[in-house]
Amino acid sequence: EGQLVESGGGLVQAGGSLKLSCTFSGFTFDNYGIGWFRQAPGKEREGVSCISTSGGSTYYADSWKGRFTISTDNAKKTMYLQMNSLKPEDTGVYYCAAEWGLNCPNLKHPRAADLFGSWGQGTQVTVSS
């Protein structure tokens, strides 16, 4: 069975940067919709960004557009989230998720997370003011 493993979280001051990684094992990495979700304390999980491993467009939720960049290294079966200009409100647990054959959905939809069947364990990002 495939696994997704996130890394790269940590504590950073506001205005700083972090780069999250999500490594796939047991997956082919072909034709997957893959994305990042954030769960802030006491809140529902919400979509941050999504990309297709087969190429094509990326999607960013408004809160992170222009500050975060999603990318992949298909040879390493790894997805990244470069997080710049971090704000305290970016704090939360960041999860990577994958679903074979999925075109990136509108991550604003409250049920967008339900479309992804495979999830990592999450990595904590804390931004101090």
Side-chain angles (χ1 to χ4, degrees):
E1 186 173 329
Q3 282 190 316
L4 307 178
V5 179
E6 301 100 332
S7 61
L11 173 64
V12 64
Q13 288 188 328
S17 298
L18 284 174
K19 187 173 185 177
L20 306 184
S21 300
C22 175
T23 300
F24 289 51
S25 64
F27 290 88
T28 64
F29 209 67
D30 293 329
N31 196 32
Y32 274 86
I34 52 179
W36 290 96
F37 288 77
R38 190 278 304 268
Q39 188 160 22
K43 295 188 177 181
E44 296 289 323
R45 194 171 297 188
E46 54 186 326
V48 175
S49 185
C50 181
I51 191 169
S52 169
T53 63
S54 300
S57 60
T58 57
Y59 178 92
Y60 296 92
D62 290 343
S63 298
W64 295 281
K65 194 176 297 183
R67 297 189 296 123
F68 289 13
T69 303
I70 192 171
S71 63
T72 63
D73 184 332
N74 287 20
K76 294 183 178 179
K77 294 186 179 180
T78 301
M79 173 175 66
Y80 303 99
L81 186 68
Q82 178 66 47
M83 310 163 71
N84 297 330
S85 302
L86 283 161
K87 305 175 181 179
E89 51 264 42
D90 295 323
T91 293
V93 179
Y94 284 72
Y95 296 89
C96 65
E99 182 64 27
W100 188 84
L102 178 68
N103 293 319
C104 286
N106 180 352
L107 295 180
K108 295 179 182 178
H109 194 286
R111 304 301 300 271
D114 294 347
L115 298 174
F116 294 82
S118 298
W119 291 82
Q121 82 288 352
T123 185
Q124 176 71 44
V125 172
T126 303
V127 185
S128 63
S129 57

